[in-house]
Amino acid sequence: MKHLLSLETLPQAQMERILSAGVEIKSHRGRHESQPLKGQTWVLIFSKSSTRTRVSFEVGIRELGGQVMFLNASDIQLGRGEPIKDTARVLGRMIHGAVIRTYAQKDVEEFAQFSEVPTINALTDDEHPCQILTDIFTYQEKRGSIRGKVVTFVGDAACNVAQSWIFAAAKLGFELRLAAPEKFQPSAAVLSRAGGKITCTSDLRAAARGADLLYTDVWVSMGKETESQDRIRQLTGYQINQSLIQLAKPDALIMHCLPAYRGKEIDDQTFEAHAQTIFDQAENRLHVQKAILEWILE
Ligand code: CP
Ligand code: NVA
């Protein structure tokens, strides 16, 4: 049985399979679609807010013929302290697959182990694998293979989104530069597990020079709200704006996983100038989630 729990554990060949299936799925949307989830009910269990991930999975599951049930983690007994492994053993007897957004990475791993149904990580504190598969899909849709390209991540380089980029870099053969204050750089352990050509620097302008893709995410991830003031103070300046873009390649793409906080990690003018790419990226969540679902059932 397959799960998608992290990009660290997703082999390169499988990653490439999902990315190329997404191309086919996007081009065939609404025409001759297969219904591999027909007769199945999938559950979404979310402990954190979501717009894109929730809607793309709900729509994707339905378009593939399945039924879907959304559970806010605080509405079920999990929110009152029922252990994840008990929740998993109950749901595993009733549903065919689960998509989980939560805090601890070990919780999605435990759910996968105890539910014995395909389980997808829809964001944890450690990783956001579905997002980064979509980001790479979007880059490749617009510019061709990401192999050999330079991706610069600006902002909180220790967050879940950055960490999934880190685990994708060696597998797909691109250079990753992480521009962040020292406190917001990934741990040496994560970097050594990932391998590949990755540099961490607090020199934002050096990191942006010659980049093919400038990418950012919020400074304050979900669950880190109590650190807001300190994060904003330390990350101020780590922003994608017109002056930074001048340093990147002339055809560089600007991407953001969303939601965006204008004036923080990206300025309004830059965001609006690159809105076409950013919202194509958001739309592609749907096509790539469907590719993930089809792959998981293969
Ligand atoms: N990018 C992303 O995962 O968005 P949501 O939090 O809205 O799902
Ligand atoms: N790093 C962000 C991603 C939001 C999609 C967070 O965890 O809140």
Side-chain angles (χ1 to χ4, degrees):
M1 175 181 307
K2 286 194 230 146
H3 305 289
L4 177 57
L5 303 179
S6 72
L7 291 192
E8 181 174 15
T9 53
L10 183 66
Q12 175 201 339
Q14 311 279 306
M15 214 180 263
E16 283 171 350
R17 277 250 289 285
I18 294 169
L19 291 168
S20 62
V23 176
E24 186 81 356
I25 287 168
K26 182 169 181 175
S27 70
H28 282 89
R29 186 174 183 213
R31 294 178 285 126
H32 328 294
E33 279 192 293
S34 65
Q35 302 248 294
L37 296 183
K38 201 170 167 51
Q40 298 203 1
T41 300
W42 278 59
V43 70
L44 269 58
I45 310 172
F46 280 39
S47 305
K48 294 175 174 171
S49 304
S50 174
T51 300
R52 285 142 285 269
T53 309
R54 174 177 174 174
V55 175
S56 57
F57 268 112
E58 290 203 29
V59 173
I61 289 166
R62 290 195 182 104
E63 290 190 2
L64 295 179
Q67 307 274 344
V68 60
M69 180 189 300
F70 180 84
L71 298 175
N72 182 327
S74 62
D75 291 341
I76 57 175
Q77 298 289 8
L78 187 64
R80 294 179 65 243
E82 185 168 18
I84 191 97
K85 63 183 180 184
D86 293 355
T87 307
R89 282 180 283 188
V90 172
L91 295 183
R93 289 165 182 245
M94 301 182 189
I95 47 113
H96 299 88
V99 179
I100 300 181
R101 170 167 285 199
T102 191
Y103 296 86
Q105 177 70 20
K106 72 165 181 33
D107 285 351
V108 284
E109 287 166 7
E110 204 170 304
F111 190 96
Q113 182 193 343
F114 283 90
S115 67
E116 297 181 31
V117 295
T119 301
I120 297 172
N121 174 356
L123 180 148
T124 61
D125 291 343
D126 289 4
E127 279 219 41
H128 196 0
C130 302
Q131 177 69 55
I132 278 57
L133 287 170
T134 303
D135 301 336
I136 293 167
F137 175 92
T138 306
Y139 182 85
Q140 299 197 146
E141 177 179 54
K142 294 180 181 299
R143 295 287 187 269
S145 173
I146 200 165
R147 187 163 293 279
K149 297 291 184 345
V150 175
V151 177
T152 298
F153 181 99
V154 176
D156 175 10
C159 80
N160 42 16
V161 165
Q163 202 149 294
S164 288
W165 271 108
I166 289 169
F167 288 120
K171 291 180 188 182
L172 297 184
F174 56 87
E175 178 184 340
L176 180 64
R177 300 178 187 162
L178 300 157
E182 217 161 293
K183 189 172 166 192
F184 295 96
Q185 291 178 8
S187 70
V190 163
L191 293 171
S192 98
R193 265 159 42 207
K197 195 170 175 196
I198 302 181
T199 48
C200 299
T201 176
S202 54
D203 186 344
L204 173 59
R205 294 181 72 78
R209 214 155 276 136
D212 296 282
L213 168 59
L214 292 179
Y215 188 104
T216 192
D217 181 14
V218 296
W219 291 343
V220 184
S221 284
M222 292 179 280
K224 307 283 186 200
E225 291 79 4
T226 57
E227 302 170 11
S228 276
Q229 268 191 334
D230 181 49
R231 285 174 165 264
I232 291 168
R233 193 171 48 77
Q234 297 214 46
L235 284 155
T236 291
Y238 287 85
Q239 183 187 71
I240 298 185
N241 54 33
Q242 296 303 309
S243 129
L244 194 73
I245 290 176
Q246 299 307 317
L247 302 169
K249 291 231 177 87
D251 69 342
L253 288 179
I254 310 303
M255 290 175 42
H256 193 309
C257 59
L258 300 175
Y261 289 81
R262 291 162 170 83
K264 300 272 192 308
E265 73 277 1
I266 191 163
D267 71 347
D268 182 57
Q269 189 193 354
T270 306
F271 183 91
E272 293 303 338
H274 295 271
Q276 184 67 46
T277 304
I278 292 168
F279 290 104
D280 283 349
Q281 183 188 354
E283 175 197 321
N284 285 337
R285 295 295 305 276
L286 170 64
H287 311 301
V288 174
Q289 317 300 27
K290 286 166 77 179
I292 291 167
L293 290 161
E294 288 204 352
W295 162 81
I296 229 162
L297 293 175
E298 270 171 8

